[in-house]
Amino acid sequence: MTEKLSDTARKTVLQPLLDNGWTVTPGRDAISKTYVFADFTEAFAWMTRAALWAEKWDHHPEWSNVYKTVEVTLTTHDVGGLSALDAKLARKMDSL
């Protein structure tokens, strides 16, 4: 079962993500990032690749797409905040 990240885990798991452009979402136990692509097709293709991983891991992002920009927020609703799944999906999104 997925658990909320402990204070110790937050320091080790979140810092590399924050160093890579993710931010702590104000007022929520969540992380967010904005991806900007060359055009709509590139943005949508990236979302499709990310969606396949999200479905495989049964962990789905909050996201929106306007033209070439995709805004992503990750949190684990079942635990009421950030979990290891959020960090895992964030790392995968960055690698895509």
Side-chain angles (χ1 to χ4, degrees), residues 5 12-13 24 26 29 35 43 45 57 59-61 68 74 78 86-87 90:
L5 287 177
T12 58
V13 171
V24 175
D29 190 19
Y35 293 90
W57 293 334
H59 190 62
H60 305 92
K68 65 179 185 174
L74 298 176
D78 293 345
D86 298 303

Side-chain angles (χ1 to χ4, degrees), residues 15-68:
Q15 193 56 53
L17 296 173
L18 298 176
D19 292 343
N20 203 31
W22 288 87
T23 59
V24 175
T25 308
R28 295 184 66 189
D29 190 19
I31 55 173
S32 302
K33 186 171 183 177
T34 300
Y35 293 90
V36 179
F37 299 93
D39 56 28
F40 176 76
T41 303
E42 188 177 310
F44 199 87
W46 177 86
M47 290 178 73
T48 302
R49 291 190 305 273
L52 293 172
W53 285 101
E55 187 65 18
K56 179 179 180 174
W57 293 334
D58 193 27
H59 190 62
H60 305 92
E62 298 172 16
W63 60 9
S64 65
N65 165 242
V66 176
Y67 182 52
K68 65 179 185 174

